[in-house]
Amino acid sequence: RQAQVERTPIAKLCVQHEALSKHFHPELAISIDGRPMPIPANIGVEPACMHGIHTHDESGRLHVETPDDRAVYLKDFFAVWGQPFSSSQLLDKTVDDRHELLMTVNGVRTEALEELVLEEEQQISLEYRAK
């Protein structure tokens, strides 16, 4: 069962490259059962809208651009992507008694998950694996 993806305010925001308050680039890596999963290019890039968080290539580099100083969360990226992400689900993978979801930020394990505030040059790793 796939969770409903909530459209966060940043996921609804379209930005112009002028007059930005924030413009930075965290890096996201996702691993499913030991296999790296590429982050698709052009998430959040539409003909009429460049969302406040988006990708340009499959490198995992997230582009965070906002006209104000609001906090931008990792869950916002998944909302723009239209994919579920929470402490109990990563994409189509569900955490259960046999599987876990681990997150590290700059090599340090954290439980922040969807509440992680994105910052410049963060190295974020999400790993879904068997326990």
Side-chain angles (χ1 to χ4, degrees):
R1 173 176 144 258
Q2 198 167 36
Q4 182 69 19
V5 178
E6 176 191 352
R7 295 288 284 182
T8 61
I10 190 77
K12 299 173 189 172
L13 176 69
C14 295
V15 296
Q16 304 297 319
H17 281 103
E18 309 85 41
L20 293 174
S21 174
K22 284 186 177 181
H23 185 181
F24 61 92
H25 306 97
E27 304 273 341
L28 175 62
I30 297 176
S31 172
I32 305 291
D33 295 323
R35 290 184 305 275
M37 196 201 106
I39 310 296
N42 297 317
I43 293 171
V45 178
E46 301 168 16
C49 179
M50 175 90 66
H51 290 275
I53 184 168
H54 56 271
T55 65
H56 290 293
D57 56 33
E58 293 185 358
S59 68
R61 183 176 174 93
L62 308 182
H63 297 256
V64 179
E65 303 173 16
T66 62
D68 53 29
D69 200 31
R70 73 180 76 194
V72 179
Y73 298 88
L74 185 56
K75 68 181 174 187
D76 297 325
F77 173 69
F78 284 89
V80 169
W81 190 2
Q83 295 291 331
F85 173 61
S86 68
S87 59
S88 62
Q89 186 171 2
L90 174 62
L91 309 174
D92 64 344
K93 304 296 184 187
T94 304
V95 174
D96 56 27
D97 55 348
R98 295 175 311 169
H99 298 91
E100 62 186 350
L101 176 57
L102 302 177
M103 173 190 239
T104 61
V105 178
N106 300 329
V108 178
R109 182 140 179 221
T110 178
E111 300 294 324
L113 294 165
E114 66 264 40
E115 296 306 317
L116 178 72
V117 175
L118 298 177
E119 297 176 0
E120 176 66 60
E121 299 304 321
Q122 278 174 319
Q123 300 291 317
I124 303 161
S125 174
L126 295 173
E127 181 182 3
Y128 177 86
R129 66 183 192 186
K131 287 186 179 179

